[in-house]
Amino acid sequence: MTESQHPSQHQPEQSQLGKTSAYADQYDPSLLFPLPRQTKRDEIGISATPPFLGADLWTAYELSWLNPRGKPQVAIAQVTVPCESPNIIESKSFKLYLNSFNNSRFDDGQAVLDRLKADLSEAIWRGSERRGSIGVKLLTPAQFEQEKIRELDGLSLDRLDVECTHYQPAPELLRADATQPPVTETLVSDLLKSNCLVTGQPDWASVRISYTGAPIDQERLLQYLVSFRNHNEFHEQCVERIFMDLWTRCKPVKLSVYARYTRRGGLDINPWRSSQPQQPPANVRTARQ
Protein backbone atom coordinates (compact mmCIF):
# COMPACT_ATOMS: atom_id res chain seq x y z
CA MET A 1 0.00 0.00 0.00
CA THR A 2 1.38 3.38 -0.97
CA GLU A 3 0.62 6.83 0.37
CA SER A 4 -0.98 7.75 -2.94
CA GLN A 5 -3.85 5.33 -2.39
CA HIS A 6 -7.06 6.97 -1.29
CA PRO A 7 -8.61 5.53 1.90
CA SER A 8 -11.89 4.94 0.09
CA GLN A 9 -10.11 2.09 -1.69
CA HIS A 10 -9.36 0.40 1.63
CA GLN A 11 -11.79 -2.28 2.72
CA PRO A 12 -11.52 -4.52 5.80
CA GLU A 13 -11.26 -7.66 3.67
CA GLN A 14 -8.13 -6.20 2.01
CA SER A 15 -6.33 -5.98 5.34
CA GLN A 16 -4.17 -8.66 6.95
CA LEU A 17 -6.97 -9.74 9.31
CA GLY A 18 -7.48 -13.50 9.22
CA LYS A 19 -4.55 -14.04 6.87
CA THR A 20 -1.14 -15.61 7.35
CA SER A 21 1.30 -12.72 7.72
CA ALA A 22 5.05 -12.36 7.52
CA TYR A 23 6.27 -10.54 10.61
CA ALA A 24 8.72 -7.85 9.59
CA ASP A 25 11.25 -6.96 12.28
CA GLN A 26 12.74 -3.93 10.55
CA TYR A 27 10.97 -0.59 10.85
CA ASP A 28 8.29 -0.32 8.14
CA PRO A 29 5.55 2.37 8.39
CA SER A 30 3.92 1.12 5.16
CA LEU A 31 2.44 -1.75 7.20
CA LEU A 32 -0.19 0.58 8.67
CA PHE A 33 -3.59 0.01 7.03
CA PRO A 34 -6.10 2.87 7.44
CA LEU A 35 -9.83 2.26 7.03
CA PRO A 36 -12.33 5.09 6.46
CA ARG A 37 -14.72 5.81 9.32
CA GLN A 38 -17.44 7.18 7.05
CA THR A 39 -18.44 3.84 5.51
CA LYS A 40 -19.86 2.57 8.81
CA ARG A 41 -21.09 6.01 9.87
CA ASP A 42 -23.32 6.10 6.81
CA GLU A 43 -25.03 2.95 8.11
CA ILE A 44 -26.04 4.64 11.37
CA GLY A 45 -27.26 7.90 9.84
CA ILE A 46 -24.17 10.09 10.16
CA SER A 47 -23.79 11.73 6.76
CA ALA A 48 -22.38 15.05 7.91
CA THR A 49 -20.72 16.25 11.11
CA PRO A 50 -21.25 13.66 13.88
CA PRO A 51 -23.23 14.75 16.95
CA PHE A 52 -20.32 13.69 19.15
CA LEU A 53 -16.72 14.37 20.00
CA GLY A 54 -14.31 11.83 21.34
CA ALA A 55 -11.26 9.67 20.85
CA ASP A 56 -10.05 6.10 20.56
CA LEU A 57 -7.64 5.25 23.38
CA TRP A 58 -5.16 2.56 22.34
CA THR A 59 -2.72 0.75 24.62
CA ALA A 60 0.15 -1.18 23.03
CA TYR A 61 1.77 -3.57 25.49
CA GLU A 62 4.25 -5.18 23.08
CA LEU A 63 6.61 -2.44 21.96
CA SER A 64 10.34 -3.06 21.72
CA TRP A 65 13.33 -1.72 19.80
CA LEU A 66 17.14 -1.75 19.93
CA ASN A 67 19.28 1.03 21.33
CA PRO A 68 22.41 2.16 19.40
CA ARG A 69 24.41 -0.67 20.99
CA GLY A 70 21.86 -3.29 19.98
CA LYS A 71 20.38 -3.80 23.44
CA PRO A 72 16.60 -4.38 23.43
CA GLN A 73 14.38 -1.75 25.02
CA VAL A 74 10.71 -2.14 25.99
CA ALA A 75 7.86 0.25 26.70
CA ILE A 76 4.08 0.50 26.81
CA ALA A 77 2.60 2.97 24.33
CA GLN A 78 -0.63 4.87 24.96
CA VAL A 79 -2.13 6.39 21.80
CA THR A 80 -5.06 8.82 21.61
CA VAL A 81 -6.70 9.01 18.18
CA PRO A 82 -9.28 11.81 17.76
CA CYS A 83 -12.61 10.60 16.38
CA GLU A 84 -12.73 13.46 13.87
CA SER A 85 -9.89 11.82 11.95
CA PRO A 86 -11.17 10.32 8.66
CA ASN A 87 -9.63 6.90 9.30
CA ILE A 88 -9.16 4.25 11.91
CA ILE A 89 -6.16 1.93 11.78
CA GLU A 90 -6.88 -1.76 11.33
CA SER A 91 -5.57 -3.40 14.49
CA LYS A 92 -3.55 -6.25 12.98
CA SER A 93 -1.71 -3.79 10.75
CA PHE A 94 -0.96 -1.77 13.89
CA LYS A 95 0.50 -4.90 15.50
CA LEU A 96 2.61 -5.71 12.42
CA TYR A 97 3.84 -2.13 12.36
CA LEU A 98 4.86 -2.25 16.02
CA ASN A 99 6.65 -5.56 15.45
CA SER A 100 8.71 -3.89 12.74
CA PHE A 101 10.49 -1.92 15.48
CA ASN A 102 11.84 -5.09 17.09
CA ASN A 103 15.25 -5.25 15.38
CA SER A 104 15.53 -1.60 14.40
CA ARG A 105 17.94 0.73 16.19
CA PHE A 106 16.83 4.10 17.56
CA ASP A 107 18.84 6.68 19.45
CA ASP A 108 16.43 6.73 22.38
CA GLY A 109 12.80 6.46 23.43
CA GLN A 110 12.07 9.97 22.19
CA ALA A 111 13.09 8.95 18.67
CA VAL A 112 10.66 6.01 18.86
CA LEU A 113 7.87 8.26 20.14
CA ASP A 114 8.50 10.75 17.32
CA ARG A 115 8.26 8.00 14.69
CA LEU A 116 5.08 6.60 16.20
CA LYS A 117 3.43 10.00 16.30
CA ALA A 118 4.43 10.91 12.73
CA ASP A 119 3.48 7.55 11.19
CA LEU A 120 0.17 7.12 12.99
CA SER A 121 -0.84 10.73 12.30
CA GLU A 122 -0.14 10.28 8.60
CA ALA A 123 -2.22 7.10 8.46
CA ILE A 124 -5.31 8.36 10.27
CA TRP A 125 -5.42 11.60 8.25
CA ARG A 126 -4.47 10.00 4.90
CA GLY A 127 -6.65 11.06 1.98
CA SER A 128 -7.94 14.17 3.75
CA GLU A 129 -7.06 17.79 3.12
CA ARG A 130 -7.47 18.36 6.82
CA ARG A 131 -4.55 17.49 9.04
CA GLY A 132 -4.29 16.87 12.74
CA SER A 133 -2.18 14.99 15.21
CA ILE A 134 -2.55 12.28 17.80
CA GLY A 135 -1.37 11.86 21.35
CA VAL A 136 1.39 9.34 22.04
CA LYS A 137 2.90 8.55 25.42
CA LEU A 138 5.59 5.96 26.20
CA LEU A 139 5.75 4.32 29.61
CA THR A 140 9.17 2.93 30.49
CA PRO A 141 9.75 -0.09 32.76
CA ALA A 142 10.49 2.30 35.64
CA GLN A 143 6.89 3.51 35.30
CA PHE A 144 5.19 0.13 34.99
CA GLU A 145 4.41 -0.22 38.69
CA GLN A 146 2.47 3.04 38.55
CA GLU A 147 -0.07 1.47 36.17
CA LYS A 148 -3.28 0.74 38.05
CA ILE A 149 -6.29 -1.49 37.47
CA ARG A 150 -9.67 0.16 37.96
CA GLU A 151 -13.17 -0.82 36.95
CA LEU A 152 -15.52 1.60 35.26
CA ASP A 153 -17.46 3.66 37.77
CA GLY A 154 -21.27 3.75 37.82
CA LEU A 155 -24.37 1.78 38.71
CA SER A 156 -24.11 -1.77 37.38
CA LEU A 157 -26.83 -2.83 34.96
CA ASP A 158 -25.68 -6.42 35.40
CA ARG A 159 -27.44 -6.56 38.78
CA LEU A 160 -30.74 -6.83 36.87
CA ASP A 161 -32.23 -10.27 36.26
CA VAL A 162 -33.51 -9.85 32.71
CA GLU A 163 -34.48 -12.24 29.96
CA CYS A 164 -32.30 -11.81 26.87
CA THR A 165 -33.53 -12.97 23.48
CA HIS A 166 -31.88 -10.57 21.01
CA TYR A 167 -28.31 -11.19 19.84
CA GLN A 168 -28.16 -8.71 16.99
CA PRO A 169 -28.43 -4.97 17.70
CA ALA A 170 -32.02 -4.19 18.65
CA PRO A 171 -32.34 -0.41 19.10
CA GLU A 172 -36.12 -0.80 19.35
CA LEU A 173 -35.53 -2.07 22.89
CA LEU A 174 -34.39 1.36 24.06
CA ARG A 175 -36.93 3.48 25.88
CA ALA A 176 -36.86 6.65 28.00
CA ASP A 177 -39.78 7.98 30.04
CA ALA A 178 -40.25 11.58 28.95
CA THR A 179 -43.05 12.02 31.52
CA GLN A 180 -40.54 11.80 34.37
CA PRO A 181 -38.18 14.56 35.57
CA PRO A 182 -34.73 14.44 33.92
CA VAL A 183 -31.98 12.57 35.72
CA THR A 184 -28.20 12.48 35.55
CA GLU A 185 -26.77 9.01 35.96
CA THR A 186 -23.92 6.73 34.98
CA LEU A 187 -24.64 3.10 34.12
CA VAL A 188 -22.08 0.35 33.48
CA SER A 189 -22.07 -3.21 32.20
CA ASP A 190 -19.45 -5.90 31.71
CA LEU A 191 -21.67 -7.85 29.33
CA LEU A 192 -20.88 -6.12 26.04
CA LYS A 193 -19.61 -8.56 23.44
CA SER A 194 -19.31 -8.21 19.69
CA ASN A 195 -17.26 -9.93 16.99
CA CYS A 196 -14.51 -8.80 14.67
CA LEU A 197 -15.96 -7.51 11.41
CA VAL A 198 -13.62 -9.69 9.32
CA THR A 199 -12.56 -12.74 11.35
CA GLY A 200 -15.63 -13.17 13.57
CA GLN A 201 -13.40 -13.55 16.64
CA PRO A 202 -15.10 -12.43 19.87
CA ASP A 203 -14.43 -8.97 21.29
CA TRP A 204 -15.19 -8.53 24.99
CA ALA A 205 -15.78 -5.18 26.67
CA SER A 206 -17.05 -3.22 29.63
CA VAL A 207 -19.12 -0.15 28.79
CA ARG A 208 -20.05 3.02 30.68
CA ILE A 209 -23.00 5.19 29.65
CA SER A 210 -23.41 8.61 31.26
CA TYR A 211 -26.35 10.82 30.40
CA THR A 212 -28.64 13.63 31.45
CA GLY A 213 -32.22 13.43 30.32
CA ALA A 214 -35.43 11.46 30.64
CA PRO A 215 -34.80 8.26 32.67
CA ILE A 216 -33.73 5.40 30.42
CA ASP A 217 -35.33 2.02 31.13
CA GLN A 218 -32.38 0.15 32.63
CA GLU A 219 -33.66 -3.38 31.97
CA ARG A 220 -34.23 -2.61 28.32
CA LEU A 221 -30.85 -0.87 28.10
CA LEU A 222 -29.12 -4.00 29.39
CA GLN A 223 -31.04 -6.16 26.90
CA TYR A 224 -29.95 -3.75 24.16
CA LEU A 225 -26.29 -4.01 25.12
CA VAL A 226 -26.52 -7.82 25.19
CA SER A 227 -28.03 -7.70 21.69
CA PHE A 228 -24.57 -6.90 20.26
CA ARG A 229 -23.43 -10.41 21.22
CA ASN A 230 -23.40 -11.87 17.68
CA HIS A 231 -22.84 -8.58 15.84
CA ASN A 232 -19.79 -8.20 13.59
CA GLU A 233 -18.26 -4.72 13.79
CA PHE A 234 -15.05 -3.05 14.90
CA HIS A 235 -14.83 -1.58 18.42
CA GLU A 236 -15.05 2.04 17.31
CA GLN A 237 -18.08 1.32 15.15
CA CYS A 238 -19.95 -0.49 17.94
CA VAL A 239 -19.51 2.42 20.33
CA GLU A 240 -20.70 4.92 17.73
CA ARG A 241 -23.73 2.72 16.99
CA ILE A 242 -24.58 2.58 20.71
CA PHE A 243 -24.20 6.35 21.00
CA MET A 244 -26.42 7.05 17.98
CA ASP A 245 -29.13 4.60 19.05
CA LEU A 246 -29.31 6.21 22.50
CA TRP A 247 -29.09 9.73 21.08
CA THR A 248 -31.90 9.26 18.56
CA ARG A 249 -34.26 7.01 20.55
CA CYS A 250 -33.86 8.30 24.12
CA LYS A 251 -33.02 11.90 23.21
CA PRO A 252 -30.83 12.78 26.21
CA VAL A 253 -29.60 16.33 26.72
CA LYS A 254 -26.07 15.04 27.34
CA LEU A 255 -24.56 11.65 26.56
CA SER A 256 -21.23 9.87 26.67
CA VAL A 257 -20.41 6.25 25.83
CA TYR A 258 -17.08 4.69 26.78
CA ALA A 259 -16.06 1.07 26.21
CA ARG A 260 -12.90 -0.74 27.27
CA TYR A 261 -12.24 -3.82 25.15
CA THR A 262 -9.98 -6.66 26.20
CA ARG A 263 -6.66 -6.78 24.42
CA ARG A 264 -5.80 -8.90 21.40
CA GLY A 265 -2.32 -9.19 19.93
CA GLY A 266 -0.93 -6.97 22.67
CA LEU A 267 -3.36 -4.13 21.87
CA ASP A 268 -6.50 -2.85 23.50
CA ILE A 269 -8.84 -0.27 21.93
CA ASN A 270 -11.09 1.87 24.09
CA PRO A 271 -13.44 4.18 22.17
CA TRP A 272 -15.10 7.14 23.89
CA ARG A 273 -17.79 9.39 22.41
CA SER A 274 -19.43 12.41 24.08
CA SER A 275 -22.03 14.97 23.07
CA GLN A 276 -20.22 17.60 25.16
CA PRO A 277 -16.60 18.81 25.03
CA GLN A 278 -14.66 17.36 27.94
CA GLN A 279 -11.37 15.69 28.74
CA PRO A 280 -11.09 12.06 27.59
CA PRO A 281 -11.27 9.43 30.32
CA ALA A 282 -8.01 8.37 31.92
CA ASN A 283 -6.56 5.42 30.00
CA VAL A 284 -6.68 3.02 32.95
CA ARG A 285 -7.19 -0.66 32.25
CA THR A 286 -9.78 -2.88 33.83
CA ALA A 287 -9.03 -6.28 35.39
CA ARG A 288 -10.01 -8.14 32.22
CA GLN A 289 -7.60 -6.10 30.13
Side-chain angles (χ1 to χ4, degrees):
M1 180 176 58
T2 65
E3 292 186 11
S4 62
Q5 289 179 295
H6 191 277
S8 63
Q9 298 174 325
H10 301 169
Q11 300 299 324
E13 61 271 16
Q14 296 172 315
S15 75
Q16 289 298 314
L17 277 173
K19 301 173 184 176
T20 301
S21 304
Y23 283 80
D25 61 4
Q26 294 294 324
Y27 169 67
D28 184 0
S30 72
L31 292 167
L32 291 170
F33 193 90
L35 292 169
R37 295 185 188 269
Q38 192 57 48
T39 303
K40 279 292 181 177
R41 287 179 175 175
D42 287 340
E43 291 185 12
I44 55 175
I46 304 175
S47 58
T49 303
F52 52 71
L53 307 169
D56 305 322
L57 311 179
W58 290 69
T59 312
Y61 294 92
E62 300 174 5
L63 174 61
S64 182
W65 66 94
L66 303 179
N67 72 7
R69 301 187 66 187
K71 181 182 176 182
Q73 309 292 297
V74 297
I76 296 172
Q78 294 182 340
V79 179
T80 303
V81 178
C83 74
E84 63 265 25
S85 64
N87 305 315
I88 62 174
I89 297 173
E90 185 276 303
S91 60
K92 186 174 181 180
S93 79
F94 200 161
K95 176 184 178 180
L96 294 172
Y97 164 72
L98 292 174
N99 283 339
S100 79
F101 283 72
N102 289 350
N103 283 339
S104 298
R105 299 191 182 210
F106 292 87
D107 289 340
D108 51 28
Q110 184 62 48
V112 172
L113 187 150
D114 291 343
R115 288 315 320 155
L116 289 169
K117 189 168 186 177
D119 295 341
L120 296 171
S121 293
E122 188 282 323
I124 68 167
W125 294 97
R126 188 179 300 171
S128 173
E129 295 181 359
R130 183 180 176 185
R131 280 292 182 269
S133 62
I134 62 174
V136 180
K137 178 181 179 181
L138 291 190
L139 303 176
T140 66
Q143 299 169 298
F144 288 174
E145 67 177 2
Q146 300 173 18
E147 290 299 287
K148 306 301 182 184
I149 294 176
R150 186 169 68 234
E151 299 308 301
L152 296 176
D153 60 294
L155 177 63
S156 175
L157 292 170
D158 304 344
R159 75 190 193 282
L160 302 171
D161 184 18
V162 299
E163 180 179 8
C164 298
T165 58
H166 294 77
Y167 300 110
Q168 289 291 342
E172 66 274 11
L173 289 170
L174 295 171
R175 182 178 298 166
D177 188 351
T179 67
Q180 297 297 313
V183 299
T184 296
E185 61 183 1
T186 298
L187 306 170
V188 299
S189 175
D190 295 318
L191 302 186
L192 179 61
K193 173 196 169 288
S194 53
N195 301 318
C196 173
L197 179 63
V198 176
T199 67
Q201 294 184 53
D203 295 321
W204 308 92
S206 299
V207 60
R208 183 180 72 199
I209 296 167
S210 300
Y211 76 96
T212 297
I216 295 174
D217 186 313
Q218 294 183 13
E219 290 191 356
R220 297 175 74 91
L221 175 57
L222 179 57
Q223 291 170 324
Y224 165 76
L225 294 174
V226 170
S227 75
F228 278 75
R229 193 166 184 83
N230 294 337
H231 180 59
N232 293 354
E233 211 164 37
F234 292 141
H235 304 354
E236 301 93 333
Q237 298 160 353
C238 284
V239 168
E240 292 188 357
R241 185 178 294 274
I242 293 169
F243 182 100
M244 290 302 296
D245 285 345
L246 287 165
W247 189 249
T248 56
R249 290 181 175 267
C250 298
K251 303 187 184 307
V253 177
K254 297 180 181 179
L255 175 65
S256 70
V257 179
Y258 178 39
R260 293 201 64 90
Y261 279 85
T262 58
R263 76 180 79 166
R264 183 185 298 157
L267 293 167
D268 65 41
I269 310 171
N270 310 286
W272 164 70
R273 301 293 183 267
S274 173
S275 63
Q276 307 295 317
Q278 56 183 293
Q279 288 296 315
N283 194 359
V284 179
R285 74 183 182 97
T286 64
R288 291 195 297 168
Q289 294 183 298

